[in-house]
Amino acid sequence: MDDQTRMMSGLAGLGGLSQADVGDPDGVRKSLGQPQQDIGDILQQIMAITDESLDEAQARKHALNCHRMKPALFSVLCEIKEKTVLSIRGVQEEDPPDPQIMRLDNMLLAEGVSGPEKGGGSAAAAAAAAAAGGSPNDGSIEHSDYRAKLAQIRQIYHSELEKYEQACSEFTNHVMNLLREQSRTRPISPKEIERMVAIIHRKFSSIQMQLKQSTCEAVMILRSRFLDARRKRRNFNKQATEVLNEYFYSHLSNPYPSEEAKEELAKKCAITVSQVSNWFGNKRIRYKKNIGKFQEEANLYAVKTAVDAASVSAQASQANSPGRVQCGVLGSRLVCQAANTLFKLCVLCLPCCCFVYLPNG
DNA sequence: CTCAATGATTGCAA
DNA sequence: TTGCAATCATTGAG
């Protein structure tokens, strides 16, 4: 039996679908005349296929596929299916944006993991670096360290995301092709395919959420480690300490630098304004607690200040007696022996000044 | 290892 | 907000 004969014989067995119908376009009218019965019969035949031998079933299937009423039948079946699915599942709510995903997205964007390369990342790192403080060198080391680690996380995140997206689209395509293929042999509406695609996307987005979550965790761990480094202080370098001490001892009567002065000092010392504030806070309290202990230091810086003042004054007026300078505290005329190199402590304004007050000098 | 020095943090008051 | 006071935690000299 060749295929053609087999098909014909198969179709001949279907009630309402005579051989004449198959070949005759006018048969549509005849079929429509008793659609209910026809469809019922067809359905019965379809059900019966499962009980038949494979060869016979194949033949019937093929015959059905080729039947000109097939699209109409499938469309009716799809409609029925659609209604059944809707009644079972209820109306599929449109996916509202998941608040957790949104939160994760926002965080990743703020941390500079997602979004533009040079945007939030460096900003977040800069903010963290500023919070971490420390000397500029260490700050920049930690800063770059933080940035490098963040970039690493970013890279992993993007490569994983790409992988997921690729897998998702591949799988979606595969399923869509499969369903399209199957739609030739079983009733599958485009809506059903859409729904399936949506299901796949939901599954993949849940995987994506896990990725985002673990990325967020990694960033938080990195950040907390980075911020913990705040307590790992570094001593300021010698020059910075000198600048701060000079200011402190030359303003001993009112060691409260203004905001502008703090900024200036911060710039000079290459530290942050808050570090300057911390330093002055510590210095004031420690000086007050033990003035005696700081006496020597005070003298030292007073000398320094005076030397600087003297050198400036000497440069400004070389015509005047070169050895004379003015006491910064008392305003007295002082003699600087050996051109600013040899000083004796001033007994009148100790510890703020270190010149011998020589009224007759 | 000990301990003083020192930068940072915290809690409180003005 | 700022400064004070107490305290923590680390550094670095001995």
Side-chain angles (χ1 to χ4, degrees):
Chain A
M1 214 188 251
D2 63 48
D3 278 359
Q4 181 73 13
T5 326
R6 195 195 294 273
M7 185 188 83
M8 288 309 183
S9 75
L11 277 173
L14 295 174
L17 290 173
S18 65
Q19 197 168 344
D21 285 340
V22 175
D24 175 22
D26 293 340
V28 175
R29 257 172 285 139
K30 272 193 263 169
S31 298
L32 288 175
Q34 34 176 314
Q36 296 277 337
Q37 194 201 332
D38 287 351
I39 290 169
D41 287 347
I42 294 166
L43 285 173
Q44 263 197 338
Q45 292 296 327
I46 292 168
M47 299 305 282
I49 286 174
T50 52
D51 300 328
E52 292 174 2
S53 77
L54 210 59
D55 274 357
E56 229 173 316
Q58 283 294 341
R60 279 187 192 278
K61 220 168 80 182
H62 190 210
L64 270 170
N65 277 339
C66 299
H67 197 272
R68 64 195 160 73
M69 289 300 286
K70 188 196 118 183
L73 173 67
F74 271 27
S75 109
V76 170
L77 288 173
C78 281
E79 210 173 296
I80 294 166
K81 228 166 98 175
E82 204 60 43
K83 276 179 191 159
T84 317
V85 167
L86 286 180
S87 70
I88 291 169
R89 291 197 196 156
V91 181
Q92 194 79 48
E93 74 277 23
E94 287 300 312
D95 286 318
D98 188 336
Q100 198 178 352
I101 282 248
M102 276 174 70
R103 225 180 28 244
L104 291 172
D105 278 340
N106 286 341
M107 191 192 150
L108 289 173
L109 202 66
E111 292 296 334
V113 175
S114 58
E117 180 80 53
K118 288 182 180 177
S122 52
S135 72
N137 290 336
D138 300 325
S140 65
I141 286 164
E142 286 183 24
H143 186 144
S144 62
D145 199 35
Y146 178 88
R147 266 223 304 237
K149 293 232 164 75
L150 193 71
Q152 211 177 336
I153 291 173
R154 186 190 160 94
Q155 199 213 323
I156 293 168
Y157 170 76
H158 282 289
S159 83
E160 288 295 305
L161 200 66
E162 206 177 314
K163 261 191 251 170
Y164 284 138
E165 271 163 11
Q166 201 183 337
C168 179
S169 81
E170 265 174 27
F171 191 69
T172 306
N173 278 340
H174 175 72
V175 168
M176 270 168 76
N177 287 337
L178 205 69
L179 289 176
R180 278 203 201 104
E181 191 71 32
Q182 284 188 355
S183 72
R184 283 198 280 169
T185 52
R186 68 185 183 95
I188 299 173
S189 66
K191 255 191 177 176
E192 209 176 329
I193 297 178
E194 255 174 55
R195 208 159 34 230
M196 191 57 81
V197 167
I199 289 169
I200 293 167
H201 282 174
R202 263 201 297 281
K203 291 281 175 204
F204 271 89
S205 89
S206 80
I207 296 171
Q208 228 181 60
M209 191 162 86
Q210 279 175 27
L211 169 70
K212 284 178 181 178
Q213 214 154 18
S214 55
T215 307
C216 277
E217 274 167 26
V219 171
M220 290 316 283
I221 289 166
L222 174 68
R223 222 185 143 87
S224 70
R225 274 192 197 154
F226 187 72
L227 290 176
D228 277 349
R230 281 180 305 183
R231 294 202 83 90
K232 281 186 182 168
R233 63 173 185 79
R234 296 261 127 190
N235 288 350
F236 297 156
N237 61 40
K238 210 178 156 198
Q239 187 234 331
T241 313
E242 270 182 27
V243 170
L244 293 167
N245 273 317
E246 267 175 40
Y247 187 97
F248 181 80
Y249 287 112
S250 62
H251 296 77
L252 207 50
S253 55
N254 184 36
Y256 297 88
S258 64
E259 202 54 40
E260 291 79 42
K262 279 182 192 171
E263 277 170 23
E264 181 81 24
L265 286 167
K267 211 189 245 176
K268 268 192 197 167
C269 303
I271 56 177
T272 65
V273 172
S274 64
Q275 282 179 303
V276 172
S277 299
N278 282 343
W279 190 92
F280 273 89
N282 284 324
K283 192 73 186 177
R284 279 191 298 265
I285 195 79
R286 283 163 187 166
Y287 181 83
K288 201 178 88 177
K289 268 187 177 174
N290 196 350
I291 296 177
K293 199 181 82 183
F294 287 93
Q295 204 65 76
E296 207 178 316
E297 191 178 70
N299 295 341
L300 200 76
Y301 280 100
V303 173
K304 228 171 143 45
T305 310
V307 169
D308 291 347
S311 89
V312 167
S313 128
Q315 273 175 9
S317 56
Q318 279 204 330
N320 293 343
S321 48
R324 287 172 191 279
V325 290
Q326 191 145 8
C327 171
V329 177
L330 296 177
S332 319
R333 298 276 287 172
L334 302 161
V335 169
C336 167
Q337 298 170 39
N340 303 332
T341 54
L342 181 64
F343 301 106
K344 289 176 188 170
L345 290 178
C346 169
V347 287
L348 292 174
C349 52
L350 250 171
C352 312
C353 185
C354 58
F355 290 89
V356 177
Y357 176 47
L358 297 171
N360 301 321

